[in-house]
Amino acid sequence: MKNLIIAAAALAALTTASQAQAIRIGTEGAYAPWNFIDDSGKVAGFEIDLGNELCTRASLECTWVVNEWDTIIPNLIAGNYDAIMAGMSITDERKQTLDFSDNYFPPDPSKYVAAAGKTFDFGNLSGVRIGVQGATIQAAYAEESFRSGNTILSFETADQALADLNAGNLDLILADGSYLAEVIAGSGGSLEFVGPDVMIGGGVGVGLRKADDELEQKFNAVIAEAKRDGTLDALITKWFPDKGPGPFFE
Amino acid sequence: MFDLLPEWMKNGIGDDLLFWLGYFTNGKHLAWYASVQFTLTAAIVGAAFALLFGLIGATLKNSAFAPARLIGSGYTNIVRGVPDVLFFLFFPLAFEQLAELVLAQAVCTPLELASASGRWPPCADANWYLDTFQYLMLACVSLGIVYGAFTANVIHGAMRSVPHGQLEAARAFGMSPAQVAWRIHIRQMWVYALPGLSNCWLLLIKSTSLLSLLQIADIVLWAERLGAPNFTRSAGLVHPDWRWYYYLVLLIFYILLTFASEKVFAALTRRASRGMAVASAD
């Protein structure tokens, strides 16, 4: 038994030494066009394109790990992967448990969506069923703003919230505008944006463990580079056509 | 995949059918079909472990040595009472933590160990990342431990059902205790054990649907992914919540598996009862 443990320890030490530049990136795989499982069964999307590009530039060898949204931060802390790229907004609350790289997507308004033709008094919402994805900035905002007099339902994925909106089980959904844009465009007029935009979150960045300062600097350096040479703008335009050609960063 | 077919064949099949054929054979669906391997591996390797633990458990329970009997009945009584989902989650995670704890003592510097209050694992080198295969093996062992407890009871009961006269006759022939156990006792035990073992096997098959809890992309996880609603055209076919349909397919799959298992167990029972006085002991 003891020999086995020593062998395992030696093996672990050896593998970490020889592949120091290999990291795993956690993503949700259910948040198109940010990250999703494509028809070939592999992860794809804006963040997968960007992440692979950043890894190449920083000479990191990256592999993708699909993890459910609600446990995505705990599993980063536990070391199941080394970075999160999952459309995660930079917020002060999250910064207490993890670090973020500089943003690779500018602060983006959250929007309300409802069945076409429905109107709401947004100054004084009451008796409304609001759907959000759990553990998101929108969930926190809805909980804070509409708790009394309304029903807030949280879903595991954003798509499930939309399915319930289509089924008539919800009146409103609050979600990232960048995620909703293509959904509304593809709904054939049955869904539309309503009410005011809500500005929450400080853009989207790579989530990292607090101790991994070196990795954070690497990501910051290549993100800045991709911003400077227009690669990042081009990727945003490719995956979020309604955003236009940019530039998105000053 | 079906783009390569000759034009006349495409026309014969029709656009709609062609579309669905293409959809059900895209990479996502192929990954789903391929993931059956995890379910079957877990069932078969899990069953092998269960049988092993069952035989050990039954031997302990039959032992003349009191502490061994205590361990045997402690194992069967405690593990049978724990919900399998709980054990399935507990065992692999606890095993990983223990491995990391041991690893940390070996690879972390004393300074890191002392300063790592509340941090787990204490240093990055001690972090053990489990891949799908390792999780699958841990899942098999968990299934083995849980269903081994049931199996132990079944085998224990079956051992006691073998008529005493058979064993006495064997001893009268001058067989050694090991020969009596192996040639007569265990050989005849199967007839009495098989109906109970078939129950354990079916319970075990049902538990293989828990694999997705350990981040293994098994048939249940893929069914959930494929059925999940999609509203973004760039991510593939836009459709509402279809999980219902995919779960229905899983239901049929498990029913077919049950049906096949029953056939196999019927054949095994026929084989085990050849030449036995109890004939069709079902």
Side-chain angles (χ1 to χ4, degrees):
Chain A
M1 188 63 199
K2 200 173 176 198
N3 282 334
L4 196 71
I5 293 161
I6 292 168
L11 194 70
L14 213 68
T15 45
T16 43
S18 64
Q19 312 175 332
Q21 298 302 91
I23 66 159
R24 282 180 295 272
I25 308 179
T27 194
E28 188 194 0
Y31 200 58
W34 291 81
N35 56 74
F36 55 91
I37 312 282
D38 71 4
D39 278 346
S40 73
K42 307 226 159 51
V43 280
F46 166 65
E47 285 173 314
I48 283 60
D49 278 4
L50 175 66
N52 289 339
E53 174 68 25
L54 295 179
C55 289
T56 312
R57 289 180 186 223
S59 42
L60 297 165
E61 195 185 302
C62 296
T63 44
W64 293 88
V65 179
V66 176
N67 194 96
E68 280 169 12
W69 173 256
D70 59 354
T71 56
I72 208 161
I73 293 179
N75 280 340
L76 170 79
I77 307 297
N80 289 7
Y81 35 81
D82 310 291
I84 297 175
M85 289 182 79
M88 187 178 279
S89 293
I90 302 166
T91 64
D92 289 336
E93 200 191 337
R94 284 182 183 140
K95 273 186 188 165
Q96 287 171 7
T97 40
L98 72 166
D99 274 2
F100 283 97
S101 72
D102 295 335
N103 65 19
Y104 56 77
F105 198 87
D108 188 58
S110 298
K111 295 185 179 204
Y112 295 99
V113 58
K118 275 196 156 186
T119 51
F120 300 89
D121 175 14
F122 280 92
N124 186 22
L125 274 188
S126 76
V128 174
R129 290 164 301 177
I130 305 172
V132 288
Q133 184 178 11
T136 56
I137 49 175
Q138 291 84 15
Y141 178 85
E143 197 61 43
E144 198 181 295
S145 319
F146 309 120
R147 189 200 209 117
S148 60
N150 298 293
T151 313
I152 296 164
L153 292 155
S154 78
F155 293 80
E156 263 179 58
T157 68
D159 283 334
Q160 284 171 12
L162 275 166
D164 257 30
L165 180 69
N166 282 332
N169 299 333
L170 294 174
D171 300 311
L172 270 182
I173 282 179
L174 180 61
D176 282 327
S178 60
Y179 160 78
L180 290 171
E182 204 186 328
V183 173
I184 304 281
S187 73
S190 68
L191 297 178
E192 57 188 27
F193 285 126
V194 287
D197 288 357
V198 185
M199 279 311 284
I200 34 179
V204 173
V206 183
L208 299 154
R209 280 184 293 270
K210 279 188 176 290
D212 287 346
D213 290 335
E214 200 189 324
L215 193 58
E216 188 179 334
Q217 280 158 16
K218 273 187 189 166
F219 269 113
N220 281 341
V222 287
I223 287 171
E225 198 184 300
K227 280 178 181 171
R228 261 199 314 277
D229 67 16
T231 317
L232 191 44
D233 283 350
L235 276 176
I236 292 175
T237 307
K238 178 189 165 197
W239 286 102
F240 305 94
D242 65 295
K243 292 271 168 214
F248 303 102
F249 305 93
E250 284 92 53
Chain B
M1 179 178 272
F2 292 92
D3 295 344
L4 301 169
L5 290 179
E7 200 58 37
W8 63 268
M9 212 185 257
K10 277 193 202 169
N11 291 336
I13 294 173
D15 281 350
D16 267 9
L17 194 57
L18 210 55
F19 169 78
W20 287 113
L21 278 176
Y23 179 69
F24 287 119
T25 53
N26 67 17
K28 231 175 175 175
H29 280 83
L30 293 183
W32 184 37
Y33 310 141
S35 66
V36 171
Q37 60 178 304
F38 298 126
T39 305
L40 295 182
T41 308
I44 292 164
V45 179
F49 276 119
L51 202 57
L52 179 71
F53 292 137
L55 282 168
I56 294 172
T59 311
L60 289 175
K61 285 180 87 155
N62 276 336
S63 169
F65 185 51
R69 276 204 305 278
L70 201 68
I71 294 172
S73 48
Y75 165 57
T76 53
N77 289 336
I78 292 169
V79 177
R80 280 189 309 159
V82 177
D84 51 1
V85 184
L86 209 60
F87 200 83
F88 204 79
L89 286 171
F90 167 77
F91 175 74
L93 297 182
F95 185 83
E96 186 195 1
Q97 299 276 303
L98 185 68
E100 284 181 346
L101 182 73
V102 174
L103 203 58
Q105 304 302 322
V107 299
C108 296
T109 62
L111 184 68
E112 281 172 327
L113 284 177
S115 64
S117 57
R119 230 190 105 202
W120 187 269
C123 67
D125 284 347
N127 186 27
W128 181 28
Y129 173 75
L130 288 161
D131 62 23
T132 300
F133 177 77
Q134 290 164 337
Y135 262 131
L136 189 61
M137 285 305 115
L138 284 178
C140 291
V141 176
S142 318
L143 287 173
I145 295 174
V146 173
Y147 291 99
F150 290 91
T151 309
N153 254 18
V154 169
I155 293 177
H156 177 67
M159 298 278 261
R160 296 167 67 113
S161 304
V162 176
H164 243 276
Q166 294 280 341
L167 306 179
E168 276 168 16
R171 280 194 285 271
F173 271 108
M175 287 189 187
S176 69
Q179 281 175 327
V180 175
W182 191 244
R183 291 193 184 167
I184 308 297
H185 205 169
I186 294 182
R187 190 70 61 84
Q188 297 199 10
M189 171 273 286
W190 290 115
V191 178
Y192 304 98
L194 275 171
L197 290 182
S198 112
N199 270 343
C200 292
W201 163 252
L202 290 179
L203 289 172
L204 189 145
I205 286 186
K206 288 200 284 184
S207 294
T208 57
S209 59
L210 302 175
L211 288 179
S212 59
L213 294 178
L214 295 178
Q215 310 272 341
I216 299 169
D218 73 332
I219 49 175
V220 179
L221 190 68
W222 273 111
E224 201 177 324
R225 280 182 189 169
L226 288 163
N230 173 41
F231 299 98
T232 313
R233 272 171 301 180
S234 56
L237 183 69
V238 171
H239 64 80
D241 202 338
W242 278 355
R243 283 178 295 176
W244 189 86
Y245 298 104
Y246 285 91
Y247 290 156
L248 185 66
V249 173
L250 289 190
L251 198 97
I252 294 167
F253 169 76
Y254 276 109
I255 290 174
L256 289 178
L257 209 54
T258 308
F259 185 72
S261 304
E262 278 184 353
K263 293 274 171 221
V264 171
F265 268 97
L268 281 176
T269 309
R270 266 200 307 280
R271 193 180 155 76
S273 37
R274 278 176 318 165
M276 295 264 303
V278 283
S280 59
D282 55 336

